[in-house]
PDB file of all heavy atoms in Angstrom:
ATOM      1  N   PHE A  20     -34.634 103.551 -14.627  1.00 96.00           N
ATOM      2  CA  PHE A  20     -34.981 104.462 -15.714  1.00 96.00           C
ATOM      3  C   PHE A  20     -34.912 105.917 -15.239  1.00 96.00           C
ATOM      4  O   PHE A  20     -34.347 106.772 -15.914  1.00 96.00           O
ATOM      5  CB  PHE A  20     -36.374 104.134 -16.264  1.00 96.00           C
ATOM      6  CG  PHE A  20     -36.931 105.227 -17.125  1.00 96.00           C
ATOM      7  CD1 PHE A  20     -36.453 105.427 -18.413  1.00 96.00           C
ATOM      8  CD2 PHE A  20     -37.900 106.094 -16.640  1.00 96.00           C
ATOM      9  CE1 PHE A  20     -36.933 106.457 -19.208  1.00 96.00           C
ATOM     10  CE2 PHE A  20     -38.390 107.118 -17.421  1.00 96.00           C
ATOM     11  CZ  PHE A  20     -37.908 107.304 -18.712  1.00 96.00           C
ATOM     12  N   TRP A  21     -35.498 106.206 -14.069  1.00 95.00           N
ATOM     13  CA  TRP A  21     -35.482 107.578 -13.565  1.00 95.00           C
ATOM     14  C   TRP A  21     -34.063 108.083 -13.330  1.00 95.00           C
ATOM     15  O   TRP A  21     -33.778 109.245 -13.555  1.00 95.00           O
ATOM     16  CB  TRP A  21     -36.305 107.691 -12.292  1.00 95.00           C
ATOM     17  CG  TRP A  21     -37.786 107.659 -12.526  1.00 95.00           C
ATOM     18  CD1 TRP A  21     -38.451 107.894 -13.698  1.00 95.00           C
ATOM     19  CD2 TRP A  21     -38.799 107.380 -11.562  1.00 95.00           C
ATOM     20  NE1 TRP A  21     -39.808 107.767 -13.524  1.00 95.00           N
ATOM     21  CE2 TRP A  21     -40.047 107.451 -12.221  1.00 95.00           C
ATOM     22  CE3 TRP A  21     -38.773 107.068 -10.211  1.00 95.00           C
ATOM     23  CZ2 TRP A  21     -41.256 107.248 -11.557  1.00 95.00           C
ATOM     24  CZ3 TRP A  21     -39.972 106.851  -9.546  1.00 95.00           C
ATOM     25  CH2 TRP A  21     -41.198 106.941 -10.222  1.00 95.00           C
ATOM     26  N   LYS A  22     -33.171 107.217 -12.879  1.00 93.00           N
ATOM     27  CA  LYS A  22     -31.773 107.640 -12.672  1.00 93.00           C
ATOM     28  C   LYS A  22     -31.148 108.086 -13.981  1.00 93.00           C
ATOM     29  O   LYS A  22     -30.317 108.979 -14.012  1.00 93.00           O
ATOM     30  CB  LYS A  22     -30.955 106.516 -12.055  1.00 93.00           C
ATOM     31  CG  LYS A  22     -31.161 106.388 -10.575  1.00 93.00           C
ATOM     32  CD  LYS A  22     -30.161 105.450  -9.964  1.00 93.00           C
ATOM     33  CE  LYS A  22     -30.408 105.433  -8.472  1.00 93.00           C
ATOM     34  NZ  LYS A  22     -29.303 104.876  -7.739  1.00 93.00           N
ATOM     35  N   GLU A  23     -31.561 107.450 -15.057  1.00 93.00           N
ATOM     36  CA  GLU A  23     -30.998 107.767 -16.368  1.00 93.00           C
ATOM     37  C   GLU A  23     -31.712 108.927 -17.058  1.00 93.00           C
ATOM     38  O   GLU A  23     -31.085 109.718 -17.758  1.00 93.00           O
ATOM     39  CB  GLU A  23     -31.084 106.517 -17.252  1.00 93.00           C
ATOM     40  CG  GLU A  23     -30.379 106.639 -18.570  1.00 93.00           C
ATOM     41  CD  GLU A  23     -30.372 105.334 -19.359  1.00 93.00           C
ATOM     42  OE1 GLU A  23     -30.843 104.308 -18.855  1.00 93.00           O
ATOM     43  OE2 GLU A  23     -29.892 105.374 -20.511  1.00 93.00           O
ATOM     44  N   ALA A  24     -33.024 109.053 -16.854  1.00 93.00           N
ATOM     45  CA  ALA A  24     -33.804 109.978 -17.671  1.00 93.00           C
ATOM     46  C   ALA A  24     -34.431 111.146 -16.915  1.00 93.00           C
ATOM     47  O   ALA A  24     -34.759 112.152 -17.535  1.00 93.00           O
ATOM     48  CB  ALA A  24     -34.912 109.209 -18.395  1.00 93.00           C
ATOM     49  N   ALA A  25     -34.638 111.014 -15.621  1.00 88.00           N
ATOM     50  CA  ALA A  25     -35.355 112.059 -14.877  1.00 88.00           C
ATOM     51  C   ALA A  25     -34.380 113.052 -14.257  1.00 88.00           C
ATOM     52  O   ALA A  25     -33.222 112.737 -14.006  1.00 88.00           O
ATOM     53  CB  ALA A  25     -36.224 111.430 -13.787  1.00 88.00           C
ATOM     54  N   GLU A  26     -34.892 114.213 -13.985  1.00 80.00           N
ATOM     55  CA  GLU A  26     -34.118 115.277 -13.362  1.00 80.00           C
ATOM     56  C   GLU A  26     -34.406 115.285 -11.869  1.00 80.00           C
ATOM     57  O   GLU A  26     -35.546 115.344 -11.447  1.00 80.00           O
ATOM     58  CB  GLU A  26     -34.538 116.621 -13.968  1.00 80.00           C
ATOM     59  CG  GLU A  26     -33.711 117.796 -13.545  1.00 80.00           C
ATOM     60  CD  GLU A  26     -32.367 117.876 -14.232  1.00 80.00           C
ATOM     61  OE1 GLU A  26     -32.229 117.292 -15.327  1.00 80.00           O
ATOM     62  OE2 GLU A  26     -31.463 118.509 -13.691  1.00 80.00           O
ATOM     63  N   GLY A  27     -33.377 115.207 -11.060  1.00 72.00           N
ATOM     64  CA  GLY A  27     -33.562 115.280  -9.615  1.00 72.00           C
ATOM     65  C   GLY A  27     -34.017 113.963  -9.023  1.00 72.00           C
ATOM     66  O   GLY A  27     -34.299 112.995  -9.713  1.00 72.00           O
ATOM     67  N   THR A  28     -34.059 113.944  -7.706  1.00 74.00           N
ATOM     68  CA  THR A  28     -34.508 112.762  -6.987  1.00 74.00           C
ATOM     69  C   THR A  28     -35.559 113.176  -5.967  1.00 74.00           C
ATOM     70  O   THR A  28     -35.722 114.343  -5.662  1.00 74.00           O
ATOM     71  CB  THR A  28     -33.338 112.077  -6.251  1.00 74.00           C
ATOM     72  OG1 THR A  28     -32.758 113.016  -5.350  1.00 74.00           O
ATOM     73  CG2 THR A  28     -32.298 111.557  -7.220  1.00 74.00           C
ATOM     74  N   SER A  29     -36.241 112.170  -5.434  1.00 80.00           N
ATOM     75  CA  SER A  29     -37.299 112.407  -4.475  1.00 80.00           C
ATOM     76  C   SER A  29     -37.127 111.463  -3.292  1.00 80.00           C
ATOM     77  O   SER A  29     -36.539 110.382  -3.429  1.00 80.00           O
ATOM     78  CB  SER A  29     -38.656 112.152  -5.146  1.00 80.00           C
ATOM     79  OG  SER A  29     -39.689 112.135  -4.194  1.00 80.00           O
ATOM     80  N   ILE A  30     -37.666 111.843  -2.167  1.00 79.00           N
ATOM     81  CA  ILE A  30     -37.608 111.014  -0.971  1.00 79.00           C
ATOM     82  C   ILE A  30     -38.324 109.683  -1.185  1.00 79.00           C
ATOM     83  O   ILE A  30     -38.055 108.701  -0.498  1.00 79.00           O
ATOM     84  CB  ILE A  30     -38.175 111.785   0.236  1.00 79.00           C
ATOM     85  CG1 ILE A  30     -37.771 111.118   1.547  1.00 79.00           C
ATOM     86  CG2 ILE A  30     -39.685 111.924   0.137  1.00 79.00           C
ATOM     87  CD1 ILE A  30     -38.054 111.959   2.772  1.00 79.00           C
ATOM     88  N   THR A  31     -39.206 109.614  -2.168  1.00 80.00           N
ATOM     89  CA  THR A  31     -39.953 108.386  -2.446  1.00 80.00           C
ATOM     90  C   THR A  31     -39.329 107.551  -3.558  1.00 80.00           C
ATOM     91  O   THR A  31     -39.936 106.582  -4.010  1.00 80.00           O
ATOM     92  CB  THR A  31     -41.411 108.731  -2.809  1.00 80.00           C
ATOM     93  OG1 THR A  31     -41.402 109.685  -3.863  1.00 80.00           O
ATOM     94  CG2 THR A  31     -42.161 109.284  -1.610  1.00 80.00           C
TER      95      THR A  31
END
Side-chain angles (χ1 to χ4, degrees):
F20 165 75
W21 285 341
K22 280 191 178 196
E23 188 174 356
E26 187 77 23
T28 58
S29 169
I30 196 169
T31 53

